[in-house]
Amino acid sequence: MDKALVGIVMGSDSDLPVMKEAADILDDLGVACEIIISSAHRAPDKTAEYARSAAGRGLQAIIAGAGGAAHLPGVIASLTTLPVIGVPIKSGPLNGVDALYAIVQMPAGIPVATVAINGAKNAGILAAQIISLKDEAVRRRFEKYKSGLARQVEEKNARLGSLGVENYLAGK
Ligand code: RP5
């Protein structure tokens, strides 16, 4: 197995169904990653050790997802020089808005690149883009991925043009 270049960390196993989307897209783009559960509140020492050792172990970016009082991405960012991408997880009575605000409102000097609530797929893509700066093969796979997106739009547009609105929606 290739050495992990991206670390995916989440606060709880309840975050896993969402955070798996980051691992899946990284896999599609051929970027090796590792995935762990570690909580800023429930396992602070483990989280600190993970963040402090990440760069030395060869990771080049970290994706951290948490819900509620989501301090995990910010704490990790405070303890590493690696770029950290934060994923606010939709959970609890505030539906992820609490996590979004907690993750995005970092103090100057300690950025966390925050994606949308439950936006783990985009977090994976952003991490792959960071890796692609130095990895030609990843860059080529990412270009192919983007052309695929454009092609899908074109196909949908052509279908809409030939079927019309009602038939298009009926076939969806
Ligand atoms: C956060 O609290 C976790 O990231 C999770 O999103 C949320 C709830 O955790 P569990 O109570 O499901 O373990 O720390």
Side-chain angles (χ1 to χ4, degrees):
M1 214 167 84
D2 288 344
K3 205 156 151 303
L5 298 178
V6 176
I8 300 176
V9 192
M10 69 207 81
S12 170
D13 62 350
S14 57
D15 304 324
L16 188 55
V18 171
M19 295 304 287
K20 180 182 179 298
E21 293 176 27
D24 287 346
I25 189 73
L26 283 167
D27 194 42
D28 291 349
L29 293 169
V31 177
C33 67
E34 61 183 27
I35 183 156
I36 72 156
I37 299 166
S38 190
S39 164
H41 303 127
R42 294 166 176 159
D45 292 340
K46 176 186 159 78
T47 297
E49 166 57 22
Y50 184 81
R52 287 200 174 101
S53 67
R57 291 189 303 106
L59 295 183
Q60 295 180 17
I62 295 177
I63 298 170
H71 294 120
L72 184 66
V75 165
I76 291 175
S78 75
L79 295 169
T80 181
T81 54
L82 295 177
V84 175
I85 303 164
V87 184
I89 301 289
K90 181 175 176 175
S91 72
L94 300 184
N95 286 319
V97 174
D98 44 357
L100 172 65
Y101 284 174
I103 295 174
V104 80
Q105 291 292 349
M106 287 296 290
I110 314 291
V112 170
T114 308
V115 296
I117 295 171
N118 280 1
K121 184 171 186 175
N122 267 359
I125 291 170
L126 186 52
Q129 286 179 276
I130 291 169
I131 301 301
S132 78
L133 292 172
K134 282 200 198 155
D135 189 323
E136 181 64 21
V138 174
R139 193 180 60 76
R140 275 200 302 271
R141 283 193 285 270
F142 182 59
E143 276 172 359
K144 205 166 152 208
Y145 173 79
K146 288 200 87 166
S147 330
L149 293 181
R151 203 165 44 247
Q152 282 170 30
V153 172
E154 229 12 85
E155 282 163 10
K156 286 177 183 174
N157 185 49
R159 191 171 150 77
L160 176 61
S162 67
L163 292 180
V165 175
E166 295 305 330
N167 287 335
Y168 186 96
L169 287 176
K172 242 174 128 47

